[in-house]
Amino acid sequence: MGRSPCCDKVGLKKGPWTPEEDQKLLAYIEEHGHGSWRALPSKAGLQRCGKSCRLRWTNYLRPDIKRGKFSLQEEQTIIQLHALLGNRWSAIATHLPKRTDNEIKNYWNTHLKKRLTKMGIDPVSHKPKNDTLLCTDGQSKSVANLSHMAQWESARLEAEARLVKQSKLRCPVEKQVGSVDASMASVKLLATTAGEPTRCLDILKAWDRVWGGKQNDDGVNGIGDIESPTSTLSTTGVGESSTNFFEFVGGNSSGSCDDGATGEDGEEEWEYKDENDMENSIPLTSGFSGVTMASDNNNEHVPGGNFLESFTDLLLSSSGGGHRNLQSGGDSGNDLEPNGVNNSNYYEDNSKNYWNNILNLVNSSMQDPPLF
DNA sequence: AATCGGGCCAACCGCTACCCA
DNA sequence: CTGGGTAGCGGTTGGCCCGAT
């Protein structure tokens, strides 16, 4: 675990890179690849440490970098992934292939964090700052479940990011221009070798089902505390008589979710079950795209495309002059949103939609790894 | 025109995970 | 198994830019 000696050596240049240095580095890497960063500077005739060269390459000179303003979609992606992954910028960057972790980090710190704060959302927890609005019995439980599941999905995304990195390492520099292949490869790798391919994704789908189903139960949370997928996936209702759980019911002979990973029409192996209503087990299909899966659900909860719009509106309205003060109820002090929706419902819906959209994002990223 | 202050971003620093002998 | 070397990550900083005064 020794510390890297790095840039303290005398004679090594620090600070901004000159065009000449860029040219040298670029030319060298184009011809030889970077190989060992430590050895690179001397070979390339640069008075820099390897670390500095690597940074300059990965953050600036790499040919597959998209520069300039972030699109709204990219912003949403960052926010959503940050909600799942936290400050794991490199993991987030793997889902925005043409953006660097440094760029994303900077953009988050200078723009998005402030914007969320303005909106009354805690940029760390991604919850409304006035959390009490959400903490009405079943709600708080559901939020806890949400967080728990988010942790699982977070772990999965991290693993995926790691695989992307590994597959990138195996590719020569000139073949990295589109990290699409790498992402695809990683997903398949994940599906075929990890042994626990897309279960978390399924859990998220089920999660959506839970959110949707919950509303049909007179405010009673439709699910108890959800255990992690590997902890037998059973859930024990807290203070409730019913027990709902996810069950791995098998399917593909390989046991892997190859198709699930790519979002094709393969059959998933997970079912959402209600112990008290075993006949109404709900198969979790992979074709989820914002459509509720529950048979007894009257489709009033339809995340997906709708949310993109509402979320976008929210972002735009908060970043622009027409920003509403969500926390205090706005300039009029009125608890009602313009459309007459009660603020607590407003928060609830937004919170649900917020997380549902993360679900959709993850889902779509599995179907179409390259977002941009 | 000069000064000030805030925003932004490239680059650095320090830590840690990983690899390999 | 251990320890040294390296790459990569996330946090932080320094300096440039630009708008306000």
Side-chain angles (χ1 to χ4, degrees):
Chain A
M1 306 295 174
R3 284 266 335 275
S4 58
C6 198
C7 316
D8 294 335
K9 288 178 189 168
V10 277
L12 290 188
K13 199 180 165 203
K14 288 204 268 186
W17 281 65
T18 64
E20 290 76 25
E21 287 177 309
D22 281 347
Q23 194 51 49
K24 278 184 184 176
L25 181 59
L26 205 53
Y28 181 85
I29 291 178
E30 273 173 0
E31 193 174 348
H32 303 97
H34 55 69
S36 163
W37 285 111
R38 193 170 176 79
L40 186 147
S42 57
K43 289 180 184 171
L46 289 162
Q47 298 294 103
R48 296 269 182 177
C49 70
K51 206 171 177 177
S52 181
C53 294
R54 178 176 59 78
L55 239 74
R56 184 63 180 171
W57 169 256
T58 54
N59 289 336
Y60 196 82
L61 295 176
R62 243 172 44 194
D64 57 329
I65 290 179
K66 174 180 170 186
R67 310 194 68 83
K69 272 199 74 174
F70 280 72
S71 70
L72 192 60
Q73 200 183 359
E74 285 175 306
E75 288 182 2
Q76 289 170 6
T77 303
I78 294 168
I79 292 169
Q80 290 154 7
L81 287 172
H82 186 272
L84 284 174
L85 299 167
N87 292 358
R88 294 184 173 86
W89 305 115
S90 64
I92 293 172
T94 60
H95 291 265
L96 290 137
K98 295 187 174 184
R99 299 289 189 178
T100 68
D101 54 352
N102 203 33
E103 199 178 7
I104 293 169
K105 179 174 64 181
N106 283 335
Y107 193 71
W108 171 265
N109 285 328
T110 55
H111 293 92
L112 298 180
K113 204 158 88 174
K114 289 173 191 169
R115 203 178 299 172
L116 286 182
T117 305
K118 259 189 180 181
M119 290 164 67
I121 295 171
D122 179 16
V124 178
S125 64
H126 289 256
K127 291 177 190 168
K129 279 175 183 165
N130 193 355
D131 215 12
T132 54
L133 284 170
L134 285 172
C135 291
T136 57
D137 298 336
Q139 281 296 324
S140 59
K141 237 186 287 176
S142 298
V143 167
N145 291 338
L146 234 75
S147 305
H148 190 83
M149 297 173 100
Q151 285 175 8
W152 275 94
E153 184 54 22
S154 165
R156 192 192 65 76
L157 284 169
E158 269 190 85
E160 188 191 334
R162 198 167 294 138
L163 284 162
V164 169
K165 247 182 294 169
Q166 286 170 2
S167 60
K168 273 183 180 177
L169 282 176
R170 288 189 213 102
C171 296
V173 172
E174 57 271 21
K175 289 185 181 173
Q176 293 179 15
V177 173
S179 52
V180 174
D181 292 342
S183 300
M184 293 291 281
S186 78
V187 168
K188 284 187 176 153
L189 202 60
L190 188 73
T192 53
T193 64
E196 208 256 330
T198 56
R199 294 181 189 182
C200 291
L201 185 60
D202 297 330
I203 290 295
L204 282 173
K205 290 172 184 173
W207 168 7
D208 183 76
R209 151 73 176 92
V210 170
W211 272 110
K214 173 179 67 60
Q215 293 178 316
N216 296 335
D217 295 330
D218 290 337
V220 177
N221 191 2
I223 190 169
D225 287 347
I226 297 167
E227 300 291 339
S228 63
T230 51
S231 58
T232 73
L233 293 161
S234 64
T235 63
T236 343
V238 177
E240 294 168 15
S241 57
S242 68
T243 301
N244 310 313
F245 56 93
F246 301 103
E247 181 179 276
F248 186 62
V249 297
N252 292 343
S253 56
S254 66
S256 70
C257 293
D258 233 342
D259 288 338
T262 51
E264 291 168 14
D265 53 1
E267 290 183 8
E268 297 290 342
E269 297 95 345
W270 294 85
E271 283 185 358
Y272 173 76
K273 297 200 172 189
D274 183 335
E275 195 182 51
N276 292 336
D277 190 11
M278 293 299 282
E279 289 182 7
N280 285 337
S281 295
I282 299 149
L284 301 175
T285 61
S286 64
F288 174 79
S289 59
V291 179
T292 48
M293 290 170 281
S295 56
D296 57 349
N297 195 331
N298 46 9
N299 278 354
E300 61 188 53
H301 165 59
V302 181
N306 284 348
F307 176 66
L308 276 178
E309 288 168 28
S310 60
F311 189 87
T312 299
D313 290 346
L314 206 59
L315 276 171
L316 290 176
S317 65
S318 67
S319 59
H323 160 242
R324 290 190 298 247
N325 186 342
L326 294 179
Q327 197 167 359
S328 64
D331 44 11
S332 67
N334 192 346
D335 257 355
L336 296 180
E337 290 303 314
N339 59 2
V341 176
N342 184 288
N343 227 352
S344 60
N345 288 335
Y346 184 74
Y347 276 125
E348 182 185 329
D349 289 343
N350 278 328
S351 179
K352 266 188 292 181
N353 287 338
Y354 187 88
W355 286 96
N356 282 329
N357 201 32
I358 292 170
L359 165 64
N360 288 333
L361 172 77
V362 171
N363 205 26
S364 65
S365 76
M366 295 297 281
Q367 292 172 11
D368 311 300
L371 287 172
F372 306 102

